[in-house]
Amino acid sequence: MVGAYVRAKTADLGGTRRRAEEIEGLETFDLEREGMFGVVVEGPSIDAVHDVIEGRLTRLEGVLGVFPVSLEIDDPSVPTGAVKGTPGGVS
């Protein structure tokens, strides 16, 4: 699961958010920042989540940028503490 902030064209923020909500596995949430909304993307693997973000979300009309801010891996094969903070805000 990845949490991200989406910067969108302010003039069509609502429309951009509605288009994002049509993407399977993606939920949006409010941010107290003008021209932005948040998303949570869930999938069976980090590659699947990446495909949703890079393959669909970043290409939506009105999206100016997507900034991942959190990562949660629910996989017993990943040792505790294996996921560390990385440049770009993913942790």
Side-chain angles (χ1 to χ4, degrees):
M1 178 169 45
V2 172
Y5 295 165
V6 178
R7 181 168 302 280
K9 292 180 180 175
T10 305
D12 189 29
L13 184 64
T16 302
R17 185 170 174 174
R18 283 189 295 280
R19 287 187 291 278
E21 290 170 344
E22 293 175 2
I23 297 173
E24 186 176 342
L26 183 148
E27 294 182 26
T28 67
F29 59 91
D30 293 330
L31 290 176
E32 293 183 13
R33 298 185 73 170
E34 187 175 336
M36 297 183 83
F37 60 92
V39 296
V40 174
V41 183
E42 292 188 63
S45 69
I46 192 66
D47 290 332
V49 171
H50 180 266
D51 289 345
V52 169
I53 292 172
E54 287 298 314
R56 300 202 52 208
L57 183 59
T58 61
R59 297 168 192 239
L60 279 182
E61 181 182 342
V63 171
L64 301 174
V66 178
F67 309 94
V69 294
S70 67
L71 167 67
E72 181 180 323
I73 297 176
D74 186 21
D75 183 349
S77 68
V78 177
T80 302
V83 178
K84 302 286 185 196
T86 60
V90 178
S91 62

